[in-house]
Amino acid sequence: MIMGNQIIISIGREFGSGGHEIAEHLAKHYDIPLYDKEIFDHIQEKGSISADVARHFDEKPVNPIFYPVMLDGNNLPLEQSVANQIFDFIRTKGDKEKKSFVIVGRCAEYVLRDNPNLVRIFILGDRETKCRRIMEKYELDERNAYSRMRKEDKMRKTYHNFYSDGKWGDSRSYDICVNSSTLGIEKTVKSLIAYIDNARDV
């Protein structure tokens, strides 16, 4: 049950499932921000990491091979330092400032797990449908699209499971999991809006 006027929508997604596009539609529908670029500006304002570096290491799993050369001022790998600052941004907006927003990935469903106004969504899709979307969006042939899909999903899974107790894509970690290939993007958005609105009315 969502309490009060705050609403936070976290969206985990498989690569090629249209998760980011769905997030954009939901943010527009509820007239709330989709936090993306603001996250990197926040990190840069902290003064230790530039926005470009933060963007490069966003949702990147820690790679122990580079520990000796990629440490930040606190002796953390840059991947982990960026992740920690992103989590700090999410907590500040959600728990301290009580903002309403949509956020994609970045373990948000775990970071804000105690917030009663959080709706946790995971978007998946059929392999063939995701592949076609990746081919069109990134101008790749089928072989390279499948390769990119496997690589990106492996990276997201490794990143998520490093920081979260819940497993990436496990339905028990989310309020609702939706296969966007079944309904298409627009109808998936409508079904999620219906779910969120019902959750707010409970």
Side-chain angles (χ1 to χ4, degrees):
M1 179 176 67
I2 296 175
M3 305 177 67
N5 295 322
Q6 184 189 37
I7 179 172
I8 303 171
I9 303 171
S10 71
I11 298 183
R13 75 290 186 213
E14 293 179 344
F15 188 69
S17 66
H20 200 281
E21 183 179 351
I22 289 169
E24 291 174 338
H25 284 294
L26 291 175
K28 182 177 181 180
H29 175 82
Y30 290 105
D31 193 25
I32 57 178
L34 168 60
Y35 285 136
D36 193 4
K37 181 179 181 295
E38 295 86 353
I39 296 174
F40 308 121
D41 293 339
H42 165 82
I43 293 175
Q44 182 161 293
E45 288 171 6
K46 291 271 191 174
S48 59
I49 300 174
S50 73
D52 288 339
V53 170
R55 191 175 292 106
H56 176 76
F57 286 102
D58 183 31
E59 287 196 285
K60 294 293 194 302
V62 173
N63 188 340
I65 295 175
F66 297 109
Y67 273 21
V69 295
M70 300 303 288
L71 298 178
D72 72 351
N74 297 314
N75 291 323
L76 288 176
L78 274 173
E79 298 95 334
Q80 191 167 352
S81 183
V82 168
N84 288 342
Q85 293 195 47
I86 288 174
F87 301 155
D88 176 68
F89 174 88
I90 294 171
R91 291 190 192 96
T92 297
K93 294 298 182 182
D95 293 335
K96 295 181 181 179
E97 299 180 4
K98 304 297 182 183
K99 299 289 188 181
S100 294
F101 58 91
V102 180
I103 188 160
V104 178
R106 301 169 177 117
C107 301
E109 90 290 340
Y110 178 74
V111 174
L112 296 173
R113 59 193 178 279
D114 295 324
N115 191 308
N117 302 314
L118 172 68
V119 179
R120 305 166 300 168
I121 298 170
F122 190 85
I123 307 296
L124 59 148
D126 296 342
R127 187 169 181 262
E128 294 76 15
T129 305
K130 291 187 296 182
C131 182
R132 286 196 298 271
R133 184 176 287 113
I134 294 167
M135 289 171 67
E136 292 174 5
K137 184 174 181 178
Y138 298 100
E139 298 182 349
L140 298 173
D141 59 25
E142 184 175 348
R143 179 182 176 183
N144 285 314
Y146 277 128
S147 177
R148 175 86 180 265
M149 182 168 59
R150 289 192 297 269
K151 178 182 178 182
E152 294 288 343
D153 280 347
K154 181 179 180 180
M155 190 179 302
R156 289 175 181 177
K157 180 179 180 180
T158 303
Y159 169 89
H160 182 279
N161 293 352
F162 181 85
Y163 296 105
S164 171
D165 287 344
K167 300 302 182 184
W168 182 78
D170 186 332
S171 61
R172 291 168 293 188
S173 298
Y174 308 90
D175 297 305
I176 182 171
C177 297
V178 179
N179 186 328
S180 62
S181 302
T182 303
L183 297 177
I185 298 297
E186 290 187 8
K187 289 184 178 180
T188 295
V189 170
K190 290 180 180 178
S191 70
L192 289 172
I193 290 172
Y195 178 88
I196 294 167
D197 289 347
N198 283 328
R200 300 175 80 183
D201 292 338
V202 172

